Amino acid sequence: HVARNLGNKRLLLLGTYRDIEVDRTHPLSSSLADLRRLPNFNRVLLRGLNADEVRRMLAGIAGEQVPWSLAEAVHRQTEGNPLFVQEVIRYLAEEGVFVRDKGRWQAKSDTPVEMRIPDGLRDVIGKRLSSLSETCNKVLSVAAIIGRDFRLEVLQKVAGLSEEEIFKALEEARKAAVIEERTGAGAVVNYRFTHAFFRQTLYEEIIAPRRIRLHQQVARALEEVYKNRLEEHAAELAEHFSYSSDSADLSKAVSYGEMAAKKAISVYAYSEAVKLLDQAIKVQEILDPDDKVKRCDLLLDLGDGLLLAGEPRRVLDNELPEAFSIAETLFDNERALNVSLIALKAFSFLSGGTSVTFSSEEGQRWVERADRYALPNTIGRALANASMGCLKIANRDNVVGISLLNEALDLSRSLGDNETYWLISYWWLLYSLVPQMVEKRLQIAEEIYRYSRNGVKANTVALGLFLTGFTFLEHGQRQRAEKCFRDYKILTERTGQVNLHLGAMAIDALLSYINGDLDGAIRIADNILVQGEELNNSQLAMSFAHFTGIRPWMYQGMYDEMLKVINRESYGLRALRHANRGRMNRATQMINEMINFRPSIGTPGDYSGYLWDVCFLEAAVLVGHKKASELLLIQLAGKSPKTSGYAFITCIPRHMGGAAALLERYEEARQHYQEAIRICTEMRFRPELALSRLQLAELLLEQYPQEKSEAMTHLDFAIAEFRDMKMQPSLERALRHKEILKA
C-alpha cells in the first residue's frame, strides 16, 4: 500500500527477509510478485563478504587496521558470513590465536587459525540442524564424512537407507539451505554444504569409531564410482583411506596422497600439495616406520612442494636435515645429492636476490655436500659448481667464483635441462656484478629472454625473469625490462606464491621511484616490510625494501629511514649515508678503509662488484676524496653499465661526471653528464634526470660562465622536478644556486 502511494516522496523503505524461509506458498511470495511490477522497487541478494570487506569489518571491530593474513584466514574460515566473522574473531581473540604485538595484531605462529567452531556459532548452527528431521540429520552426517562436496551416488552406497528416504532428506536439507544442489551432465547429481561449518558440526558429532568405519566405506565407494577417474579424486581417496587400520588401505592412502600432490602442483595449488604430502608422511610412519627409503623420498617431495609454496626456511630447518641424515645412513649418494640440491634451491628462494646467503655457515655446509656427491657432467655437477661459484664470490674470491659460474652455465646448456639452465642463469646474474662481465650480463639476459620455459618450474622462471628485467634496466632498456616484470607478475598471480608477491611489490616500488613517485615507492617499501613480518619472511622483505627504498628515502632526506634496511654488509651504503648526513670524517674513514682493503683497485685484475663501487664513488665525490674518486673512475670508466640496475638503482655516468669534475677534468665531466641526461631521458628516469641536469648546471655555472643560459634552463627544470618529487635536499641545493645568480 505504501509503495504504491509514495508518489514523488523522498522516502526509502527497506525490508529484509531470509530467502530460505520464503517459498511459493509463503504470503510474502505474492507480495514480492506485486512489488516487482513497481518501477521504484529493487531487490538485492546479499552474499558473503570478500576478503577486503572482511578486513574492513575486522578493522571496525578492532578499532584499527588488521594484517591481511588475519583477514584472509577469517575469510577462509567464515566464507564472509558477517555473523560468523564476528564470532570467529571474538573466539580467536579469547583463545589468544591473535595478539597485539608492537601496536599491531599478529598471529601466534604455533597456533592455527582453523580450529574448532566457536560456541556462539555452534549454538546457531545447531539450532538450524535441530529443526531438521532425524532421518535428514542421519543422511547429512554420512554426507559430512564424504566431504564438503558429495555425490549422490556415493551417498547412496554408504547411507544404508532407501532411495526415497535419501531423496526426502536431501530435499528437506536443501529447503533449509544447509546444502545446495549442483546438477551436472547426464544423471550426475552433486551436493555441497552451503557452509563448511555445517559439515564440521555434523562431523564432530559422530563418535570416532563410527567415523572411522564410515571413512572406510566412503573410500571403497569412491574407488568404485570414480574407477576411471581416480587421479581427479586422489585427494579424497587419500583422506578416507588414511583412517583405516588395514595396511593395504594405508598403502593406498600414501599412493593416492602422492598422486594428488602431483596433480595439485600441476595446477599451482602448492599449499594443497604440502598438506597432502604432510599427511602421506604421517600415514607412512604408521604403515611402515622402518621403510627409510620411502620416508626419504616423501621428504624430498615435500621439500619440493614447500619451495613452490614459498616456505624455504621450513625446508632448511626441518625436512632436509632429516632426509639428508637418512640418505647418509643408507649410504645412498644419489639421494644425498638430491637433498643437497633442493637445499641450494631453497637458498635461491630465501635470498630474494641477496648474495650473502651462501656465505653463511649453513649455506656453506650445503654447498660442500652438493660438491661432495655430484658426479662429472651431470645436472648435479652443474648446480654444485654454480653454488660453489656463488660461495666463492660471497667470500670475495670473484675471479674463481665467476669462472665456476661460467663452467656451470656452459654445462647446463650442453645437458639441455631447461630447469637447471634457468636456475644457474639466475645465480649467474645475481653474482656476476663486476665491470668485466657487463657486456656478458646483457648477452645472458637476452638469452634468458628467448630461452624455452618448457619443463621449468614457475618459481624458477620467475627468479630468472626478475633479474633479467633488472639487467635490462642496467643497460637502459626499460621497455624490455617491463616486459619481464609483466611476465613475472603473471606468474605471481597464477601461483599465489607469497615470496613472488613480495618481489612483485618490489618491482612496483622500483617503477614508482623511476617514474618520480617517491612517496609511492616509500609506501610500498614500508608495506613490504610489514607484509614480510605478516608472512614470517622478514629477511626476504628486508632485501626487497633494501633495494627499492634506499634511493627514495635518501632523495627525500629521510636518512634515518634508511637504517631500517641497511645491514653490516652494506658498507658502501653506510658510507654514502654518512656523507649525505654531513658526517664527512666518518664517510672518509670508511672510504679509506675500502681503498686499503683493495690494493688492486683500478686495475684489470680488480673484480669487485660495481654496485658498492658506485656507492663509494658517490660518497667520495660528496666528501671531496680525490684519490678514491680517481681510482673508482678508472675502475668503472668504459666498463660499467648505464645504471646500477637491481639494487638502489641510479645512473652511473652521473656519478662519473661528479668524479671527473672533482678531478678538474671538466670536459670529461660534461660528457658524462650529457650521457646521463640522454640515458635518463630515454628511460624516463625522472629523479636521476633531474639530478643529472642539476649537476650539469653546476658545472656550467662554475666552469663555463659563457653558457649561463643553458645552465639556467637545466636549473629551472631540476627545481620544478625536485618540488614535484619532494626531493628537499636537492631542491634546497638548486635554489641556493638560483639565489646566488639573482644576487
Side-chain angles (χ1 to χ4, degrees), residues 399-436:
V399 175
V400 173
I402 289 173
S403 176
L404 285 167
L405 278 169
N406 285 332
E407 289 178 21
L409 194 58
D410 291 341
L411 180 55
S412 71
R413 286 196 196 96
S414 67
L415 292 172
D417 186 277
N418 293 346
E419 169 79 14
T420 303
Y421 170 82
W422 273 84
L423 183 57
I424 292 177
S425 296
Y426 164 76
W427 285 344
W428 196 97
L429 289 176
L430 178 59
Y431 282 84
S432 64
L433 293 161
V434 298
Q436 293 85 345

Side-chain angles (χ1 to χ4, degrees), residues 275-334:
K275 179 182 175 183
L276 289 161
L277 289 166
D278 268 329
Q279 179 65 20
I281 289 172
K282 292 174 183 175
V283 174
Q284 178 62 31
E285 183 66 20
I286 297 170
L287 174 64
D288 187 358
D290 296 325
D291 189 347
K292 297 301 181 184
V293 171
K294 185 63 177 178
R295 183 171 181 84
C296 186
D297 288 343
L298 286 170
L299 287 170
L300 283 168
D301 289 342
L302 179 57
D304 272 331
L306 284 165
L307 289 189
L308 294 169
E311 296 189 59
R313 189 66 264 166
R314 174 185 156 179
V315 176
L316 292 166
D317 289 343
N318 301 321
E319 281 70 24
L320 295 187
E322 182 186 352
F324 188 80
S325 176
I326 292 172
E328 285 206 314
T329 302
L330 297 172
F331 300 100
D332 191 328
N333 292 353
E334 183 178 355

Side-chain angles (χ1 to χ4, degrees), residues 79 147-150 178-182 190-195:
E79 300 175 16
R148 172 79 182 275
D149 296 273
F150 56 95
V178 174
I179 63 171
E180 55 191 12
E181 191 173 80
R182 298 184 172 189
N190 295 301
Y191 292 91
R192 176 181 175 84
F193 284 100
T194 55
H195 198 285

Side-chain angles (χ1 to χ4, degrees), residues 46-295:
L46 299 181
R47 297 292 188 187
L49 307 176
N50 62 32
D52 182 59
E53 291 163 342
V54 167
R55 190 184 194 194
R56 286 158 52 194
M57 181 176 175
L58 295 181
I61 294 171
E64 60 182 271
Q65 289 300 313
V66 298
W68 263 110
S69 56
L70 172 57
E72 289 172 346
V74 172
H75 179 261
R76 186 168 56 248
Q77 180 88 330
T78 63
E79 300 175 16
N81 182 303
L83 171 63
F84 293 178
V85 170
Q86 181 173 292
E87 291 297 324
V88 165
I89 195 61
R90 181 184 300 163
Y91 165 74
L92 294 176
E94 290 173 354
E95 294 294 315
V97 177
F98 276 82
V99 296
R100 284 184 59 83
D101 182 32
K102 298 178 181 177
R104 288 202 304 268
W105 287 95
Q106 299 288 343
K108 283 188 176 179
S109 59
D110 59 342
T111 310
V113 173
E114 289 79 10
M115 47 179 56
R116 71 179 183 85
I117 303 172
D119 291 337
L121 284 186
R122 190 178 296 279
D123 294 339
V124 173
I125 294 166
K127 183 178 180 180
R128 178 86 68 88
L129 294 173
S130 296
S131 67
L132 303 175
S133 68
E134 182 180 349
T135 301
C136 183
N137 271 280
K138 181 179 179 180
V139 171
L140 291 178
S141 294
V142 175
I145 295 292
I146 299 172
R148 172 79 182 275
D149 296 273
F150 56 95
R151 186 167 167 175
L152 175 59
E153 189 177 352
V154 177
L155 180 64
Q156 288 174 314
K157 289 181 179 295
V158 182
L161 296 171
S162 69
E163 187 176 86
E164 187 60 29
E165 287 177 308
I166 292 174
F167 289 169
K168 284 185 176 180
L170 292 175
E171 185 177 2
E172 183 183 354
R174 186 173 63 82
K175 285 183 177 180
V178 174
I179 63 171
E180 55 191 12
E181 191 173 80
R182 298 184 172 189
T183 55
V188 175
V189 181
N190 295 301
Y191 292 91
R192 176 181 175 84
F193 284 100
T194 55
H195 198 285
F197 282 157
F198 286 123
R199 187 232 171 179
Q200 187 176 343
T201 299
L202 289 160
Y203 185 89
E204 291 175 356
E205 288 176 349
I206 305 171
I207 62 172
R210 177 169 168 76
R211 279 206 306 263
I212 292 171
R213 182 168 60 81
L214 285 170
H215 274 296
Q216 293 170 335
Q217 292 174 0
V218 169
R220 287 167 176 74
L222 288 171
E223 272 194 318
E224 183 180 346
V225 171
Y226 299 119
K227 59 186 175 183
N228 296 322
R229 294 183 291 130
L230 292 175
E231 184 181 3
E232 294 179 29
H233 299 275
E236 302 162 67
L237 288 160
E239 178 186 359
H240 292 298
F241 274 119
S242 69
Y243 288 94
S244 178
S245 57
D246 181 77
S247 59
D249 286 350
L250 293 176
S251 181
K252 284 184 177 182
V254 174
S255 297
Y256 282 128
E258 292 176 289
M259 184 188 299
K262 185 176 180 181
K263 181 173 177 58
I265 287 173
S266 72
V267 294
Y268 309 109
Y270 301 136
S271 296
E272 178 66 16
V274 168
K275 179 182 175 183
L276 289 161
L277 289 166
D278 268 329
Q279 179 65 20
I281 289 172
K282 292 174 183 175
V283 174
Q284 178 62 31
E285 183 66 20
I286 297 170
L287 174 64
D288 187 358
D290 296 325
D291 189 347
K292 297 301 181 184
V293 171
K294 185 63 177 178
R295 183 171 181 84

Side-chain angles (χ1 to χ4, degrees), residues 10 118 212 234 246 265 270 279 356 372 405 479 605 613 629 655 703 723:
R10 297 175 59 82
I212 292 171
D246 181 77
I265 287 173
Y270 301 136
Q279 179 65 20
V356 298
R372 184 190 318 154
L405 278 169
Q479 187 173 354
D613 280 352
S629 296
H655 304 297
Q703 305 302 329
R723 278 203 178 101

